[in-house]
Amino acid sequence: ETMPSLVGSEMCIRDRHIMDAKQFNRNMLRQIFLRSQEIMYSQQGGNSNNISSLLNGKVIGLLFYTPSSRTRCSFESAIKKLGGDTILLTPDTSSSQKGETVSDTLHTLDTYTDGLIVRSPNDITIQEFQNETENTIINAGDMLHHPSQALLDLFTIRQEKGTVNNLKFAIMGDLSHSRTIGSLVELLCNYNVEFYFIATHKLQINPAIIEYIENAQKHSSSTGYNISYFIHTENLEDDNVKKILKSVDVVYMTRLQKERWDTVITVENVKKYYLTKSLVNILKSNCLIMHPLPRNDEIPKEIDTDRRAIYFKQMKYGLYLRMALCELMFG
Ligand code: CP
């Protein structure tokens, strides 16, 4: 028997597009995670008959202006597992090569498909095009947002810890240029959380994200969510930072996103902000080590075998979450 999907659900998202993480509230998140979990169990049991065929006969267009391994492959796989088909367009194979604008290329793909998944060029947001398409768009990463990554991050935490509530997060790496961090923080503001932003001064958290947290704090009496944040520019060898690392439930690391730096930034002692085996040894025994991937040198390969390092599992959870999302938005 085919399992019920989220489509038509009273409580779930009513927006036409998924543009950013601010669109989701706690109820929507719960429903999306429950459906992702059902899909996961069904896939893990090998009984794909239990997966809905809501995308049967539908063609979903994937427009990716910047490289992607996980987002692109997991969305493609999700669509195909739900009975749909895909068309992939990238700037090297499209008429972008002949000077076609993003808007015109998007309009073209919109014409031939039943839904759109878009990763925009690094300097624009997908919101700019939200009134230009007939079809629903899922944002697969733009200048500021990566909502499906944040959703899969929370799904991972929920699966691994049982809850996202009352957790302490050390968020590290290149916070300034990470759209993933922005979306993750926005989603986490639906829970009681403590953020520790640990990065060198030039790569610290974007002031707009701090403003978002402070606004959420102002509304805590109506939402009931207690959120606190702390900014640390000391490196990971600092005793205060080590004390924090010993206490957190999740270490979320990101790479230096040099392709998104608009000027050459000289970062002093950047390696002192990288995770090492000895730092992992001081983490709590049930602390999760997460990373949206791809990684560079900020998490050495020797950490991969630590049972707390769940970044590859996180990538797998992304498939189930994106299946639930595609059912919901394109089904
Ligand atoms: N995390 C993430 O978005 O990975 P890709 O860039 O490989 O899609």
Side-chain angles (χ1 to χ4, degrees), residues 67-72 119 146 149 179-180 292-294 322:
S68 166
S69 303
R70 278 146 292 275
T71 312
R72 194 200 115 184
R119 175 168 285 191
H146 200 349
Q149 177 69 45
R179 54 194 174 194
T180 299
L293 303 177
R322 286 180 171 132

Side-chain angles (χ1 to χ4, degrees), residues 155-168:
F155 180 53
T156 302
I157 296 163
R158 197 177 192 272
Q159 286 304 121
E160 294 293 317
K161 287 218 162 277
T163 180
V164 180
N165 216 22
N166 299 317
L167 297 182
K168 290 185 187 181

